[in-house]
Every structure is written in C-alpha cells, then in structure tokens.
Amino acid sequence: MFGFHKPKIYRSLDGCCICRAKSSSSRFTDSTRYEKDFQSCFGLEESRSGELCNACVLLVKRWKKLPVETKKTWNHVVDARAGHGLKTAGRPKRSRIMSGSRMKFHHIKKLQKKLKRQNSDVHSSTSSISPSQSPCYSNHSDRKS
C-alpha cells in the first residue's frame, strides 16, 4: 500500500564495546563469541566485553580470513563512534590567527557585506512608497522661481 518503508533502528544503552555506536540498522550481538580475537583484530591493550554491533562483528570475521602473518588491525575503529569527552566539550573554539594585511582584507569584506545588507534593507523599505511620498523626492515644477 505504501511505497516507503521506515527502516528499523536497533539501540543499545551502553553501545558497542568496540566502536561505542549506540544505534544500528541490525541487532547487537553478545561479544563473548568474539572476545578472544579483540586484542589482535583491534589492537586493544585491555579486554572488552558487552554488546557488539554488526559492523564490528563483520570486521572480526574479515580479520579471521586474513593470512596469519598479516599485521593489519582495525584499531582506528576503537571508540570511533563515542560521543564528546569532557575535555573537548569545555575547550573554547580556537580562532584563526591572521597576518595584518589578511586581517584588513577580512575586515573590509565584512564591512562591505554589512553595507550591502543595509543598502538592500533601505531599498526594500522605500520601494513600497511612491516617489511623491519619499522624503528625498523633490518636484521641481512645484517650486516658484
């Protein structure tokens, strides 16, 4: 009947124990079956357990198919989907340092934009007034010499 099907989203309270993803399009799996491969596959120094997202399950399965002598790890995936830490949330945004001439150019561009905006506001507000009602309009034929 309907052409659009809303995909099911599976959620985890703690998130994936490897990448920390808290939502997935497929179910989360218990990690006990894969835990023995975590250190080699993801280059972990500590042991982890909990739920595992399907993407991390597939990485472990792909790692198992690699030749034994391969040193490849998926350590870039570890904690990749974690939220902001306290350190990054409280840090102020760093401003760009500009040279003198670049700063002048930037300042001039800002002023030009501001003037352009003001100028367009003036034109848009007076465009609805007829020329005879405008304060700057002067009809020379009305003047007596």
Side-chain angles (χ1 to χ4, degrees):
M1 186 174 186
F2 294 103
F4 177 71
H5 170 69
K6 186 177 179 185
K8 176 87 173 139
I9 299 293
Y10 297 93
R11 300 190 187 279
S12 168
L13 291 174
D14 297 325
C16 172
C17 64
I18 298 297
C19 68
R20 302 287 185 224
K22 292 196 173 211
S23 62
S24 175
S25 58
S26 53
R27 287 193 172 97
F28 286 83
T29 309
D30 186 51
S31 66
T32 52
R33 183 175 172 189
Y34 304 99
E35 286 173 7
K36 64 183 181 304
D37 299 314
F38 283 175
Q39 289 182 331
S40 303
C41 177
F42 296 108
L44 294 172
E45 294 176 5
E46 75 279 354
S47 62
R48 295 194 181 193
S49 61
E51 293 180 311
L52 199 61
C53 71
N54 191 49
C56 290
V57 169
L58 294 175
L59 288 176
V60 172
K61 288 182 176 180
R62 184 178 296 165
W63 176 83
K64 283 183 175 182
K65 291 180 182 177
L66 291 174
V68 178
E69 66 274 358
T70 305
K71 301 275 188 221
K72 181 173 178 137
T73 64
W74 276 273
N75 60 346
H76 63 280
V77 174
V78 176
D79 298 332
R81 300 286 307 272
H84 292 291
L86 294 175
K87 288 183 180 178
T88 57
R91 194 181 315 157
K93 188 175 178 183
R94 210 175 72 170
S95 61
R96 288 189 288 170
I97 300 170
M98 293 187 231
S99 64
S101 61
R102 186 168 166 89
M103 194 180 301
K104 287 178 189 173
F105 177 78
H106 185 70
H107 185 68
I108 290 170
K109 283 287 186 190
K110 267 184 154 176
L111 287 174
Q112 285 175 339
K113 280 185 177 180
K114 187 176 178 181
L115 287 172
K116 191 174 182 180
R117 196 177 315 119
Q118 287 176 346
N119 204 10
S120 68
D121 290 346
V122 168
H123 288 303
S124 65
S125 64
T126 58
S127 63
S128 60
I129 302 173
S130 68
S132 61
Q133 294 171 333
S134 176
C136 61
Y137 178 78
S138 63
N139 192 345
H140 295 290
S141 62
D142 291 345
R143 288 191 184 167
K144 295 179 182 173
S145 306

